Amino acid sequence: MKKIWWIMEIKLPQNAELIIDKLRNSGYSCYAVGGCVRDSLRGVKPHDWDFTTSAQPDEIERVFSDYRTITVGKRYGTVAVLIGGELYEITTYRIDGEYSDSRHPDEVRFSDRIQDDLARRDFTVNAMAYNPYDGLIDFYGGAQDLSFGVIRCVGEPRLRFEEDALRILRALRFAAVLGFTIEPETSDAILNQRKLLSGIAYERIREELLKLLCGENAGFILRRYRKVIAVFIPELKGTFDFEQHSEHHNRDLYRHTIAAVNNVEPEPLLRVTMLFHDIGKPLAQTTDKRGVCHYRGHQQLGAAMTREILRRLCMPSVFIDEVCDLIRWHDERFKPETVMLKGYLKRLGADAMQKLMLIQRADILAQSPFKREEKLSNLSAVSEELNRIITSGECYSLRQLAVNGSDLLHIGIGSGVQIGQTLDALLDKVIGGALPNEKESLLSYAKNMIDNID
Ligand code: ATP
Ligand code: MG
């Protein structure tokens, strides 16, 4: 074997050792491979363990006949084995054939050599294998690239991206998540061949994009490789180099957007919201006599544009609704006033309001220092009052109202529509302080209302 490094011992979990030993005892070779080796070497606990072996799928099933096995993709050589409640994927060494659709290899051939399997993998840091008997198998300098923090294609980048264009986005994802740089030749190929990404299914793009956005280095990658992102989100192009002509801003719109993305926790909902929060601005721009620009309605417009983008990217509809609501309200001027805030809580719910606080803070911090202290202190006062209302149990929702639909039925309010409208009116009275949240007063007020209508 060409290159075997004994750099460091990887601590394999017991089940991983069992898998490797069982296959070896039956005369096959087997290694932990890919992400788990990469993460172990950089001192991070892998979230799952994948294995590669000289055994063919039927043989893997035979070796693990005492265990439950699930055939994940026999054609691609993968069998999953259930051990101790966990699924482990074991894949036969593979040589991938042509990728005529830039997605799946048209044919795969099984091999009995680990080096063939490592050659088909995307990046050097993902192309290492390990077992306790042979140590680290690293034909492409993955350990060195890992220690220098480099993403580099295995083989010729241009060809590797032609085979599977998703690798273009995967390179950006790993660079963002690991905080790595992309080696120049790989980087050039990413930029030159970015258009190939238009042939990739949106479901595959979605997964990589969400991971990229949650990476510690997402901001840098979004800036450096904006043309790549624009291949599947062309709507972002309008924000590139877009000058905002407002004293509230000292960055162009795309740079402001990236700063805002960086200012929220690495969580898909918040990061996606920040990426699109101002996407409606270029279309909503108006200029007044003094040359100052305004963006009335950019929130609604942005929410509508974002809905279309996220649908295209096959995001789940609950996620889309949540993001679009947050974008719709991201620029709302909240004041630390109890009645006003209870009105918003009624309409949007506590969870969305608390997220809006995080979003507005991130937005303010990505703006110019103009009035920043004022904006931040108002926001803290709003946050504080919101939290007070939420924890105090004061009523702002139908759920908390001291009467419900069946109470109204009892006093003779019959139709569903009327019940809904009456409850809503009662809630507004309670929020406004005109009525206490007590059953008796609410019912007598409701009765009065009905009598007056009749
Ligand atoms: P993560 O920690 O996100 O799971 P990972 O490296 O395990 O990272 P996966 O997408 O789970 O990434 O893929 C497992 C391994 O399969 C990779 O490490 C890589 O070796 C290989 N691989 C995955 N996708 C591709 C691809 N499109 N082209 C080539 N090799 C790939
Ligand atoms: Mg993985």
Side-chain angles (χ1 to χ4, degrees), residues 244 246 248-249 253 256 260 273-274 276-281 284 293-303 323-335 340 344 348 352-353 355-367 375 378-379 382:
Q244 305 204 57
S246 151
H248 293 280
H249 289 281
L253 186 54
H256 161 74
T273 301
M274 290 335 280
F276 297 120
H277 77 286
D278 272 349
I279 201 164
K281 271 191 167 179
C293 289
H294 303 278
Y295 302 95
R296 287 192 193 98
H298 81 278
Q299 307 89 326
Q300 288 88 335
L301 190 60
V323 170
C324 293
D325 270 353
L326 294 174
I327 292 178
R328 162 70 185 81
W329 297 99
H330 82 271
D331 214 15
E332 194 75 359
R333 304 287 145 82
F334 299 116
K335 295 199 185 90
M340 179 203 198
Y344 281 113
L348 302 174
M353 283 303 285
K355 289 197 172 108
L356 281 171
M357 297 298 103
L358 303 175
I359 283 161
Q360 292 203 340
R361 192 181 151 74
D363 198 2
I364 293 168
L365 291 174
Q367 295 168 1
K375 295 177 195 171
N378 179 64
L379 190 65
V382 169

Side-chain angles (χ1 to χ4, degrees), residues 57-70:
D58 293 339
E59 297 168 329
I60 301 172
E61 282 172 351
R62 220 171 301 135
V63 171
F64 292 95
S65 56
D66 292 344
Y67 295 82
R68 232 186 111 199
T69 56
I70 299 159

Side-chain angles (χ1 to χ4, degrees), residues 385-401:
E385 180 54 14
L386 266 180
N387 289 336
R388 191 201 62 75
I389 297 170
I390 293 166
T391 48
S392 71
E394 284 173 28
C395 174
Y396 58 80
S397 67
L398 285 178
R399 205 172 32 80
Q400 296 165 302
L401 200 64

Side-chain angles (χ1 to χ4, degrees), residues 209-450:
L209 176 67
L210 291 177
K211 288 181 184 167
L212 187 168
L213 283 178
C214 292
E216 62 170 73
N217 217 16
F220 173 78
I221 296 296
L222 288 173
R223 193 164 69 236
R224 172 85 177 78
Y225 296 96
R226 64 185 198 177
K227 285 185 180 163
V228 180
I229 308 296
V231 172
F232 50 91
I233 314 177
E235 293 87 343
L236 279 173
K237 280 190 210 161
T239 70
F240 296 170
D241 306 313
F242 180 88
E243 291 304 333
Q244 305 204 57
H245 302 292
S246 151
E247 51 203 344
H248 293 280
H249 289 281
N250 55 0
R251 293 181 171 99
D252 71 50
L253 186 54
Y254 190 61
R255 282 170 180 261
H256 161 74
T257 298
I258 290 171
V261 167
N262 273 335
N263 288 343
V264 287
E265 289 294 305
E267 203 247 299
L269 183 82
L270 294 175
R271 292 263 162 130
V272 169
T273 301
M274 290 335 280
L275 182 63
F276 297 120
H277 77 286
D278 272 349
I279 201 164
K281 271 191 167 179
L283 285 176
Q285 188 185 48
T286 55
T287 310
D288 68 18
K289 279 183 247 132
R290 292 172 299 136
V292 176
C293 289
H294 303 278
Y295 302 95
R296 287 192 193 98
H298 81 278
Q299 307 89 326
Q300 288 88 335
L301 190 60
M305 290 173 74
T306 302
R307 185 170 294 280
E308 230 169 82
I309 296 167
L310 297 183
R311 276 202 190 131
R312 190 170 73 227
L313 289 170
C314 310
M315 301 279 178
S317 54
V318 180
F319 182 85
I320 298 178
D321 288 344
E322 234 183 305
V323 170
C324 293
D325 270 353
L326 294 174
I327 292 178
R328 162 70 185 81
W329 297 99
H330 82 271
D331 214 15
E332 194 75 359
R333 304 287 145 82
F334 299 116
K335 295 199 185 90
E337 292 165 8
T338 312
V339 174
M340 179 203 198
L341 290 179
K342 284 184 179 171
Y344 281 113
L345 280 167
K346 171 190 168 195
R347 184 161 184 175
L348 302 174
D351 185 50
M353 283 303 285
Q354 280 166 329
K355 289 197 172 108
L356 281 171
M357 297 298 103
L358 303 175
I359 283 161
Q360 292 203 340
R361 192 181 151 74
D363 198 2
I364 293 168
L365 291 174
Q367 295 168 1
S368 72
F370 176 68
K371 292 197 178 173
R372 179 181 287 167
E373 290 315 313
E374 204 177 312
K375 295 177 195 171
L376 285 176
S377 72
N378 179 64
L379 190 65
S380 315
V382 169
S383 267
E384 219 170 277
E385 180 54 14
L386 266 180
N387 289 336
R388 191 201 62 75
I389 297 170
I390 293 166
T391 48
S392 71
E394 284 173 28
C395 174
Y396 58 80
S397 67
L398 285 178
R399 205 172 32 80
Q400 296 165 302
L401 200 64
V403 294
N404 60 26
S406 62
D407 296 325
L408 296 187
L409 264 178
H410 270 108
I411 61 164
I413 302 181
S415 85
V417 179
Q418 210 180 13
I419 287 180
Q421 285 172 347
T422 312
L423 286 173
D424 200 58
L426 291 175
L427 179 56
D428 285 341
K429 290 282 171 204
V430 170
I431 286 177
L435 283 176
N437 189 23
E438 288 164 12
K439 195 165 182 174
E440 219 170 291
S441 343
L442 294 175
L443 285 182
S444 85
Y445 187 87
K447 225 171 162 6
N448 250 331
M449 266 172 73
I450 303 307

Side-chain angles (χ1 to χ4, degrees), residues 33-36 38-39 47-48 50 96 99 120-123 125-127 160 164 166-167 170 173-174 204 208 211:
V33 71
C36 58
R38 178 197 67 223
D39 288 343
H47 55 82
D48 51 19
D50 294 322
D96 291 348
Y99 284 66
R120 74 172 172 91
R121 294 177 182 270
D122 46 10
F123 308 111
V125 294
N126 288 344
R160 302 311 310 280
D164 180 7
L166 187 71
R167 291 172 188 153
R170 282 175 63 84
R173 185 259 276 201
F174 285 113
R204 296 180 82 205
E208 298 297 334
K211 288 181 184 167

